[in-house]
Amino acid sequence: MSPSALAVDRRSAVPLQQQLVAAFRDAILSGRIVAGQRVLSSRELSTHLAVSRNTVVNALERLHAEGYLVTVRGVGTFVAESAYRRVPVRLHRARTALVPSRFAASALEVESLVENLDIAVPFRPGVPALDRFPAAAFKRCFDVNALAERDFDYPEALGYAPLRRAIAARLAQSRGIVVDADEILITGGAQTALAAIAQVLLDPGDRAVIEDPAYPNAVAILRAKSAAMIAVPVDEAGICVERFARRAARLAYVTPSHQYPMGWVLSLERRLKLLAWAERCGAWIVEDDYDSEFDYTGRRPPALHALAAGGRVLYVGTFSKTLAPALRIGYIIVPPELRRALRAAHAILGGAPALFVQAALARFIERGYLGRHIARMRRLYDERREAAAQALREHCAHDLCVMDAGAGLHFVALLRKGIDDRAASRLAAQSGLVVPALSSYAIERTGMNGLVVGFAATPPVRAWRAAQHLAQVL
Amino acid sequence: MSPSALAVDRRSAVPLQQQLVAAFRDAILSGRIVAGQRVLSSRELSTHLAVSRNTVVNALERLHAEGYLVTVRGVGTFVAESAYRRVPVRLHRARTALVPSRFAASALEVESLVENLDIAVPFRPGVPALDRFPAAAFKRCFDVNALAERDFDYPEALGYAPLRRAIAARLAQSRGIVVDADEILITGGAQTALAAIAQVLLDPGDRAVIEDPAYPNAVAILRAKSAAMIAVPVDEAGICVERFARRAARLAYVTPSHQYPMGWVLSLERRLKLLAWAERCGAWIVEDDYDSEFDYTGRRPPALHALAAGGRVLYVGTFSKTLAPALRIGYIIVPPELRRALRAAHAILGGAPALFVQAALARFIERGYLGRHIARMRRLYDERREAAAQALREHCAHDLCVMDAGAGLHFVALLRKGIDDRAASRLAAQSGLVVPALSSYAIERTGMNGLVVGFAATPPVRAWRAAQHLAQVL
């Protein structure tokens, strides 16, 4: 056997010994050297390859151990009879081309909505002001040395107990929701929460009510469970409960504080009707309160969970909007009947966030940093919201109509007839603006024509300039 | 209206103003005070309730804002006509009792295997030596101040780039797997990885090959997708590929380095046959290499991924066994055809771990801490493995036969006929030992009778004592 078959690369990060083993294996498996063939001695290989004798000896030992080589004492070393040739690997791309599962197909659709986003892009929806992330305070809350041996283990299935207590206390203060810490399940963000809920509540074919237009990730998750979707239009008072009041479903997914994407707030009347419907047909309500802390009017009705005294409502919260998406922490307030199943499902899906981050966030809330940060951000976002709306009214009044419901981190701007929102969104992207087309959030609904405008991460000066660019695009 | 309807609790964590608002809402929604009814003045309420005037004024303003109250100037304040009564909430437990989804049902089965586990319990499988977690080194790697604004955003969908590079470098050194950092997708642990893979590869009814006995969480995830499972027995050389070689399937889930739970290593011959089968029928192989770093024999064949040159193998790794489960970080080496779909699916399921932890782990690997920790743990676990096996042979030789394949963090001890493993496991749990029954991991297979014994987290002295206890139980 010629040692030239065993090329090694001295600039590679892979150790020489490792390379030598891999080269031998490859030569055997590909049939370039065959069973029974003699292998050069370690001395000869060392000389030919200019690799230290020790490295060669170790590599050969490894190959012996793996069963590729055998040594006959006094005769020599050979490729073992049992060293099988590798199946020829050919990538038949045509044959093996991925036929994606239904879930993968809808996941890919959603991806195209959010691909290639950069933090610096003006008007990008769904992100808080990350330039104001309180990094110093957050770092002070990290203390891995304070963690005990138990804390390096799999996290408690419900989540880190001090964090659950801190969230319960905050919910009482800021949302009027009074719950015990044991009713809270910590998740890896709102997405993980929705995925676990869908797994526990839905079997293929079960009916699920969803707002139209809707949060695309929620739609993808319902599609993943092959749910039969009942898409219900929303208006200024939120989801039109009357439209499905006589139909039964297993669950209804709603965003009452700030409908996604329209921004409308579900009225008290509709809230009560929705709860009555759920009671009547035994449905569960999933209340996604993703940006609930940002209400600039003070007029918002109480959470569904507070109105229903918890009965049939799963309340989903997240720290992605109040603090930073990078944390990946959210939570569910779970009705007692669902607690065991949801805890088990969430554990199996592997959704629990790292304990270190849970512990840091617990301290961050307990020490009052979160409350202060949110209060500051509420003022900041209120200013930015005014500035963004003002800039668009100033520069794009002819083509756009801002619909500002006074909540959340984004609003919708309706486009005048004659402008196609997908085309406008594409053109805007080319000039560096991320303003997704409203029609891309529609499920069955037609006639949606507008742009979704995020304001929280866009300072006034940049909003002004961005509005000028947008005017040119339109 | 009598103020006695508005009880406040001074010891509660909920601020008095918040309590007052909630009490008013509740009285209105429950119909105790009705539309048009007059409300006492803030001065009167303040006196009757012994709460500061300011608190009462703020509470009333909030109720005005929410639309519960209206003030007629010069006349007084009234419960608004538009203040709707709450639907009477009755929890019809019988009617609404949860009929769990198929997934929830199998999740609950798995939960019973691992419930109420404590770190201090001897022989508990699946956990590394957490008493040796290198907390000081890990803390030095945490540096949230070093993160830029961009880093507080949603994590890059593939995971933090420096961590992907660090993992790629380590795979080349320790497993002979040469991949580009862009082929790696960071997940929230092995569970999250499996959940995303199942979502992308499987539609209801698709066939999936699985080892029997098997890792229960993987079984639950396949059941969640309503996969048609082909359960294939394992023997000393791993999964019996011959048994399904003529059948087609969409995927095969295997644990080649250390079969879970049996501990056997998949032979080179079977590895090549498995790869040939996948090529023939266009199936994907999911190689779960959960505790691959712990091979005490040096004889283990290369990873399937290395043998197949990547073609049809999704390699799943985790840091739960090498470092700590609390991190919640794993990864998948993704074939190029699946990359976009898997990245999108994982993003929608919300599986990405917190960026801070990804960044800390990247530094921990780059600075060589992980390599040193694993080398130390390999020596430690080898000693603990010997000690546990020795202790069981000493004390339970009559009833148990230790099957130590020389890898991983656990081994199986077969029970002699006449002892039922579930009964033995239950009794052991009562005397403080966690040794799950082998038969509880079986899918279709009968005749499994043994205990799964974890040794990594059990020091020799405790193993000795635990074996004595187990002998008494048996």
Side-chain angles (χ1 to χ4, degrees), chain A residues 175-206:
Chain A
R175 293 293 279 140
I177 295 176
V178 181
V179 289
D180 191 79
D182 280 346
E183 295 171 61
I184 292 174
L185 169 69
I186 306 289
T187 68
Q191 284 306 110
T192 310
L194 297 180
I197 289 170
Q199 289 288 7
V200 165
L201 293 184
L202 294 174
D203 273 317
D206 281 353

PDB file of all heavy atoms in Angstrom, chain A residues 175-206:
ATOM      1  N   ARG A 175     -51.159  43.503  35.847  1.00  0.00           N
ATOM      2  CA  ARG A 175     -52.269  43.057  35.001  1.00  0.00           C
ATOM      3  C   ARG A 175     -53.504  42.685  35.795  1.00  0.00           C
ATOM      4  O   ARG A 175     -54.484  42.215  35.213  1.00  0.00           O
ATOM      5  CB  ARG A 175     -51.834  41.850  34.142  1.00  0.00           C
ATOM      6  CG  ARG A 175     -50.788  42.154  33.096  1.00  0.00           C
ATOM      7  CD  ARG A 175     -51.305  43.076  31.986  1.00  0.00           C
ATOM      8  NE  ARG A 175     -52.074  42.371  30.973  1.00  0.00           N
ATOM      9  CZ  ARG A 175     -53.177  42.861  30.408  1.00  0.00           C
ATOM     10  NH1 ARG A 175     -53.680  44.009  30.816  1.00  0.00           N
ATOM     11  NH2 ARG A 175     -53.789  42.186  29.461  1.00  0.00           N
ATOM     12  N   GLY A 176     -53.432  42.831  37.122  1.00  0.00           N
ATOM     13  CA  GLY A 176     -54.587  42.474  37.933  1.00  0.00           C
ATOM     14  C   GLY A 176     -54.927  40.997  37.879  1.00  0.00           C
ATOM     15  O   GLY A 176     -56.061  40.598  38.109  1.00  0.00           O
ATOM     16  N   ILE A 177     -53.932  40.175  37.537  1.00  0.00           N
ATOM     17  CA  ILE A 177     -54.167  38.732  37.472  1.00  0.00           C
ATOM     18  C   ILE A 177     -53.577  38.112  38.728  1.00  0.00           C
ATOM     19  O   ILE A 177     -52.375  38.236  38.975  1.00  0.00           O
ATOM     20  CB  ILE A 177     -53.493  38.124  36.221  1.00  0.00           C
ATOM     21  CG1 ILE A 177     -54.157  38.677  34.946  1.00  0.00           C
ATOM     22  CG2 ILE A 177     -53.554  36.609  36.244  1.00  0.00           C
ATOM     23  CD1 ILE A 177     -53.501  38.212  33.664  1.00  0.00           C
ATOM     24  N   VAL A 178     -54.422  37.496  39.530  1.00  0.00           N
ATOM     25  CA  VAL A 178     -53.944  36.932  40.785  1.00  0.00           C
ATOM     26  C   VAL A 178     -53.843  35.425  40.650  1.00  0.00           C
ATOM     27  O   VAL A 178     -54.855  34.740  40.506  1.00  0.00           O
ATOM     28  CB  VAL A 178     -54.879  37.313  41.951  1.00  0.00           C
ATOM     29  CG1 VAL A 178     -54.365  36.737  43.258  1.00  0.00           C
ATOM     30  CG2 VAL A 178     -54.982  38.839  42.050  1.00  0.00           C
ATOM     31  N   VAL A 179     -52.611  34.916  40.602  1.00  0.00           N
ATOM     32  CA  VAL A 179     -52.404  33.473  40.464  1.00  0.00           C
ATOM     33  C   VAL A 179     -51.326  33.024  41.432  1.00  0.00           C
ATOM     34  O   VAL A 179     -50.497  33.809  41.891  1.00  0.00           O
ATOM     35  CB  VAL A 179     -51.956  33.065  39.035  1.00  0.00           C
ATOM     36  CG1 VAL A 179     -53.081  33.219  38.050  1.00  0.00           C
ATOM     37  CG2 VAL A 179     -50.741  33.855  38.596  1.00  0.00           C
ATOM     38  N   ASP A 180     -51.340  31.750  41.715  1.00  0.00           N
ATOM     39  CA  ASP A 180     -50.321  31.132  42.530  1.00  0.00           C
ATOM     40  C   ASP A 180     -49.118  30.794  41.631  1.00  0.00           C
ATOM     41  O   ASP A 180     -49.295  30.511  40.446  1.00  0.00           O
ATOM     42  CB  ASP A 180     -50.919  29.849  43.114  1.00  0.00           C
ATOM     43  CG  ASP A 180     -50.033  29.280  44.186  1.00  0.00           C
ATOM     44  OD1 ASP A 180     -50.082  29.793  45.317  1.00  0.00           O
ATOM     45  OD2 ASP A 180     -49.276  28.335  43.873  1.00  0.00           O
ATOM     46  N   ALA A 181     -47.915  30.832  42.197  1.00  0.00           N
ATOM     47  CA  ALA A 181     -46.712  30.539  41.397  1.00  0.00           C
ATOM     48  C   ALA A 181     -46.799  29.151  40.756  1.00  0.00           C
ATOM     49  O   ALA A 181     -46.241  28.924  39.678  1.00  0.00           O
ATOM     50  CB  ALA A 181     -45.465  30.643  42.268  1.00  0.00           C
ATOM     51  N   ASP A 182     -47.513  28.230  41.389  1.00  0.00           N
ATOM     52  CA  ASP A 182     -47.602  26.867  40.847  1.00  0.00           C
ATOM     53  C   ASP A 182     -48.520  26.751  39.645  1.00  0.00           C
ATOM     54  O   ASP A 182     -48.582  25.695  39.010  1.00  0.00           O
ATOM     55  CB  ASP A 182     -48.057  25.890  41.929  1.00  0.00           C
ATOM     56  CG  ASP A 182     -46.892  25.509  42.813  1.00  0.00           C
ATOM     57  OD1 ASP A 182     -45.743  25.778  42.425  1.00  0.00           O
ATOM     58  OD2 ASP A 182     -47.145  24.958  43.895  1.00  0.00           O
ATOM     59  N   GLU A 183     -49.255  27.815  39.337  1.00  0.00           N
ATOM     60  CA  GLU A 183     -50.087  27.795  38.130  1.00  0.00           C
ATOM     61  C   GLU A 183     -49.294  28.249  36.914  1.00  0.00           C
ATOM     62  O   GLU A 183     -49.798  28.260  35.798  1.00  0.00           O
ATOM     63  CB  GLU A 183     -51.298  28.719  38.316  1.00  0.00           C
ATOM     64  CG  GLU A 183     -52.242  28.246  39.411  1.00  0.00           C
ATOM     65  CD  GLU A 183     -53.313  29.287  39.715  1.00  0.00           C
ATOM     66  OE1 GLU A 183     -54.083  29.607  38.805  1.00  0.00           O
ATOM     67  OE2 GLU A 183     -53.356  29.782  40.869  1.00  0.00           O
ATOM     68  N   ILE A 184     -48.035  28.664  37.140  1.00  0.00           N
ATOM     69  CA  ILE A 184     -47.221  29.200  36.042  1.00  0.00           C
ATOM     70  C   ILE A 184     -46.233  28.152  35.550  1.00  0.00           C
ATOM     71  O   ILE A 184     -45.569  27.490  36.345  1.00  0.00           O
ATOM     72  CB  ILE A 184     -46.478  30.470  36.515  1.00  0.00           C
ATOM     73  CG1 ILE A 184     -47.507  31.577  36.765  1.00  0.00           C
ATOM     74  CG2 ILE A 184     -45.436  30.914  35.497  1.00  0.00           C
ATOM     75  CD1 ILE A 184     -46.941  32.829  37.358  1.00  0.00           C
ATOM     76  N   LEU A 185     -46.171  27.994  34.231  1.00  0.00           N
ATOM     77  CA  LEU A 185     -45.196  27.100  33.592  1.00  0.00           C
ATOM     78  C   LEU A 185     -44.245  27.976  32.782  1.00  0.00           C
ATOM     79  O   LEU A 185     -44.687  28.711  31.885  1.00  0.00           O
ATOM     80  CB  LEU A 185     -45.928  26.111  32.669  1.00  0.00           C
ATOM     81  CG  LEU A 185     -45.072  25.261  31.726  1.00  0.00           C
ATOM     82  CD1 LEU A 185     -44.249  24.237  32.509  1.00  0.00           C
ATOM     83  CD2 LEU A 185     -45.951  24.535  30.706  1.00  0.00           C
ATOM     84  N   ILE A 186     -42.941  27.911  33.090  1.00  0.00           N
ATOM     85  CA  ILE A 186     -41.957  28.708  32.353  1.00  0.00           C
ATOM     86  C   ILE A 186     -41.625  27.998  31.046  1.00  0.00           C
ATOM     87  O   ILE A 186     -41.355  26.792  31.035  1.00  0.00           O
ATOM     88  CB  ILE A 186     -40.655  28.866  33.174  1.00  0.00           C
ATOM     89  CG1 ILE A 186     -40.939  29.425  34.556  1.00  0.00           C
ATOM     90  CG2 ILE A 186     -39.642  29.733  32.413  1.00  0.00           C
ATOM     91  CD1 ILE A 186     -41.353  30.849  34.598  1.00  0.00           C
ATOM     92  N   THR A 187     -41.629  28.745  29.938  1.00  0.00           N
ATOM     93  CA  THR A 187     -41.338  28.157  28.632  1.00  0.00           C
ATOM     94  C   THR A 187     -40.182  28.900  27.967  1.00  0.00           C
ATOM     95  O   THR A 187     -39.765  29.950  28.439  1.00  0.00           O
ATOM     96  CB  THR A 187     -42.569  28.262  27.704  1.00  0.00           C
ATOM     97  OG1 THR A 187     -42.786  29.644  27.389  1.00  0.00           O
ATOM     98  CG2 THR A 187     -43.813  27.700  28.357  1.00  0.00           C
ATOM     99  N   GLY A 188     -39.696  28.347  26.872  1.00  0.00           N
ATOM    100  CA  GLY A 188     -38.635  29.004  26.110  1.00  0.00           C
ATOM    101  C   GLY A 188     -39.208  30.058  25.173  1.00  0.00           C
ATOM    102  O   GLY A 188     -38.885  30.060  23.995  1.00  0.00           O
ATOM    103  N   GLY A 189     -40.050  30.940  25.657  1.00  0.00           N
ATOM    104  CA  GLY A 189     -40.667  31.982  24.833  1.00  0.00           C
ATOM    105  C   GLY A 189     -42.100  31.620  24.458  1.00  0.00           C
ATOM    106  O   GLY A 189     -42.576  30.512  24.741  1.00  0.00           O
ATOM    107  N   ALA A 190     -42.777  32.568  23.829  1.00  0.00           N
ATOM    108  CA  ALA A 190     -44.191  32.377  23.482  1.00  0.00           C
ATOM    109  C   ALA A 190     -44.371  31.260  22.456  1.00  0.00           C
ATOM    110  O   ALA A 190     -45.341  30.507  22.501  1.00  0.00           O
ATOM    111  CB  ALA A 190     -44.779  33.684  22.952  1.00  0.00           C
ATOM    112  N   GLN A 191     -43.404  31.121  21.526  1.00  0.00           N
ATOM    113  CA  GLN A 191     -43.504  30.079  20.506  1.00  0.00           C
ATOM    114  C   GLN A 191     -43.541  28.696  21.122  1.00  0.00           C
ATOM    115  O   GLN A 191     -44.343  27.849  20.757  1.00  0.00           O
ATOM    116  CB  GLN A 191     -42.273  30.135  19.598  1.00  0.00           C
ATOM    117  CG  GLN A 191     -42.298  31.243  18.618  1.00  0.00           C
ATOM    118  CD  GLN A 191     -43.559  31.187  17.821  1.00  0.00           C
ATOM    119  OE1 GLN A 191     -44.407  32.055  18.011  1.00  0.00           O
ATOM    120  NE2 GLN A 191     -43.723  30.179  17.001  1.00  0.00           N
ATOM    121  N   THR A 192     -42.608  28.459  22.036  1.00  0.00           N
ATOM    122  CA  THR A 192     -42.537  27.175  22.724  1.00  0.00           C
ATOM    123  C   THR A 192     -43.838  26.922  23.483  1.00  0.00           C
ATOM    124  O   THR A 192     -44.335  25.794  23.520  1.00  0.00           O
ATOM    125  CB  THR A 192     -41.352  27.188  23.701  1.00  0.00           C
ATOM    126  OG1 THR A 192     -40.208  27.637  22.990  1.00  0.00           O
ATOM    127  CG2 THR A 192     -41.081  25.820  24.264  1.00  0.00           C
ATOM    128  N   ALA A 193     -44.370  27.987  24.071  1.00  0.00           N
ATOM    129  CA  ALA A 193     -45.632  27.867  24.807  1.00  0.00           C
ATOM    130  C   ALA A 193     -46.749  27.423  23.867  1.00  0.00           C
ATOM    131  O   ALA A 193     -47.476  26.458  24.156  1.00  0.00           O
ATOM    132  CB  ALA A 193     -45.981  29.207  25.451  1.00  0.00           C
ATOM    133  N   LEU A 194     -46.873  28.088  22.717  1.00  0.00           N
ATOM    134  CA  LEU A 194     -47.942  27.739  21.779  1.00  0.00           C
ATOM    135  C   LEU A 194     -47.772  26.320  21.250  1.00  0.00           C
ATOM    136  O   LEU A 194     -48.742  25.576  21.106  1.00  0.00           O
ATOM    137  CB  LEU A 194     -47.958  28.724  20.605  1.00  0.00           C
ATOM    138  CG  LEU A 194     -48.260  30.186  20.961  1.00  0.00           C
ATOM    139  CD1 LEU A 194     -48.237  31.044  19.705  1.00  0.00           C
ATOM    140  CD2 LEU A 194     -49.592  30.307  21.673  1.00  0.00           C
ATOM    141  N   ALA A 195     -46.516  25.930  20.973  1.00  0.00           N
ATOM    142  CA  ALA A 195     -46.272  24.582  20.458  1.00  0.00           C
ATOM    143  C   ALA A 195     -46.722  23.534  21.469  1.00  0.00           C
ATOM    144  O   ALA A 195     -47.382  22.551  21.113  1.00  0.00           O
ATOM    145  CB  ALA A 195     -44.794  24.411  20.108  1.00  0.00           C
ATOM    146  N   ALA A 196     -46.396  23.740  22.742  1.00  0.00           N
ATOM    147  CA  ALA A 196     -46.782  22.764  23.773  1.00  0.00           C
ATOM    148  C   ALA A 196     -48.297  22.727  23.949  1.00  0.00           C
ATOM    149  O   ALA A 196     -48.896  21.659  24.069  1.00  0.00           O
ATOM    150  CB  ALA A 196     -46.090  23.093  25.097  1.00  0.00           C
ATOM    151  N   ILE A 197     -48.928  23.899  23.925  1.00  0.00           N
ATOM    152  CA  ILE A 197     -50.384  23.957  24.081  1.00  0.00           C
ATOM    153  C   ILE A 197     -51.069  23.213  22.934  1.00  0.00           C
ATOM    154  O   ILE A 197     -51.984  22.414  23.149  1.00  0.00           O
ATOM    155  CB  ILE A 197     -50.856  25.429  24.140  1.00  0.00           C
ATOM    156  CG1 ILE A 197     -50.423  26.073  25.462  1.00  0.00           C
ATOM    157  CG2 ILE A 197     -52.374  25.526  23.972  1.00  0.00           C
ATOM    158  CD1 ILE A 197     -50.636  27.580  25.518  1.00  0.00           C
ATOM    159  N   ALA A 198     -50.611  23.466  21.707  1.00  0.00           N
ATOM    160  CA  ALA A 198     -51.218  22.795  20.547  1.00  0.00           C
ATOM    161  C   ALA A 198     -51.066  21.286  20.674  1.00  0.00           C
ATOM    162  O   ALA A 198     -51.983  20.525  20.372  1.00  0.00           O
ATOM    163  CB  ALA A 198     -50.575  23.286  19.250  1.00  0.00           C
ATOM    164  N   GLN A 199     -49.903  20.842  21.157  1.00  0.00           N
ATOM    165  CA  GLN A 199     -49.672  19.400  21.300  1.00  0.00           C
ATOM    166  C   GLN A 199     -50.639  18.792  22.311  1.00  0.00           C
ATOM    167  O   GLN A 199     -51.101  17.669  22.144  1.00  0.00           O
ATOM    168  CB  GLN A 199     -48.235  19.113  21.766  1.00  0.00           C
ATOM    169  CG  GLN A 199     -47.173  19.385  20.724  1.00  0.00           C
ATOM    170  CD  GLN A 199     -47.166  18.381  19.588  1.00  0.00           C
ATOM    171  OE1 GLN A 199     -48.039  17.520  19.488  1.00  0.00           O
ATOM    172  NE2 GLN A 199     -46.204  18.521  18.701  1.00  0.00           N
ATOM    173  N   VAL A 200     -50.920  19.518  23.375  1.00  0.00           N
ATOM    174  CA  VAL A 200     -51.751  18.954  24.437  1.00  0.00           C
ATOM    175  C   VAL A 200     -53.234  19.039  24.091  1.00  0.00           C
ATOM    176  O   VAL A 200     -54.007  18.147  24.421  1.00  0.00           O
ATOM    177  CB  VAL A 200     -51.459  19.660  25.783  1.00  0.00           C
ATOM    178  CG1 VAL A 200     -52.540  19.375  26.798  1.00  0.00           C
ATOM    179  CG2 VAL A 200     -50.109  19.212  26.299  1.00  0.00           C
ATOM    180  N   LEU A 201     -53.643  20.118  23.419  1.00  0.00           N
ATOM    181  CA  LEU A 201     -55.080  20.306  23.201  1.00  0.00           C
ATOM    182  C   LEU A 201     -55.590  19.721  21.886  1.00  0.00           C
ATOM    183  O   LEU A 201     -56.778  19.450  21.767  1.00  0.00           O
ATOM    184  CB  LEU A 201     -55.444  21.792  23.268  1.00  0.00           C
ATOM    185  CG  LEU A 201     -55.298  22.461  24.638  1.00  0.00           C
ATOM    186  CD1 LEU A 201     -55.778  23.901  24.569  1.00  0.00           C
ATOM    187  CD2 LEU A 201     -56.086  21.704  25.703  1.00  0.00           C
ATOM    188  N   LEU A 202     -54.718  19.562  20.906  1.00  0.00           N
ATOM    189  CA  LEU A 202     -55.222  19.226  19.573  1.00  0.00           C
ATOM    190  C   LEU A 202     -54.801  17.845  19.087  1.00  0.00           C
ATOM    191  O   LEU A 202     -53.644  17.457  19.233  1.00  0.00           O
ATOM    192  CB  LEU A 202     -54.720  20.246  18.552  1.00  0.00           C
ATOM    193  CG  LEU A 202     -55.220  21.682  18.696  1.00  0.00           C
ATOM    194  CD1 LEU A 202     -54.518  22.575  17.689  1.00  0.00           C
ATOM    195  CD2 LEU A 202     -56.722  21.752  18.524  1.00  0.00           C
ATOM    196  N   ASP A 203     -55.733  17.144  18.488  1.00  0.00           N
ATOM    197  CA  ASP A 203     -55.428  15.992  17.659  1.00  0.00           C
ATOM    198  C   ASP A 203     -55.751  16.392  16.224  1.00  0.00           C
ATOM    199  O   ASP A 203     -56.513  17.344  16.003  1.00  0.00           O
ATOM    200  CB  ASP A 203     -56.264  14.786  18.094  1.00  0.00           C
ATOM    201  CG  ASP A 203     -55.586  14.003  19.210  1.00  0.00           C
ATOM    202  OD1 ASP A 203     -54.362  13.801  19.124  1.00  0.00           O
ATOM    203  OD2 ASP A 203     -56.278  13.608  20.158  1.00  0.00           O
ATOM    204  N   PRO A 204     -55.169  15.675  15.236  1.00  0.00           N
ATOM    205  CA  PRO A 204     -55.448  16.051  13.846  1.00  0.00           C
ATOM    206  C   PRO A 204     -56.956  16.145  13.595  1.00  0.00           C
ATOM    207  O   PRO A 204     -57.716  15.278  14.031  1.00  0.00           O
ATOM    208  CB  PRO A 204     -54.813  14.910  13.052  1.00  0.00           C
ATOM    209  CG  PRO A 204     -53.700  14.426  13.920  1.00  0.00           C
ATOM    210  CD  PRO A 204     -54.188  14.589  15.327  1.00  0.00           C
ATOM    211  N   GLY A 205     -57.385  17.212  12.916  1.00  0.00           N
ATOM    212  CA  GLY A 205     -58.798  17.378  12.583  1.00  0.00           C
ATOM    213  C   GLY A 205     -59.598  18.159  13.609  1.00  0.00           C
ATOM    214  O   GLY A 205     -60.725  18.576  13.328  1.00  0.00           O
ATOM    215  N   ASP A 206     -59.059  18.375  14.817  1.00  0.00           N
ATOM    216  CA  ASP A 206     -59.775  19.162  15.835  1.00  0.00           C
ATOM    217  C   ASP A 206     -59.924  20.601  15.350  1.00  0.00           C
ATOM    218  O   ASP A 206     -59.027  21.142  14.715  1.00  0.00           O
ATOM    219  CB  ASP A 206     -59.005  19.158  17.164  1.00  0.00           C
ATOM    220  CG  ASP A 206     -59.209  17.867  17.943  1.00  0.00           C
ATOM    221  OD1 ASP A 206     -60.043  17.050  17.514  1.00  0.00           O
ATOM    222  OD2 ASP A 206     -58.530  17.688  18.971  1.00  0.00           O
TER     223      ASP A 206
END
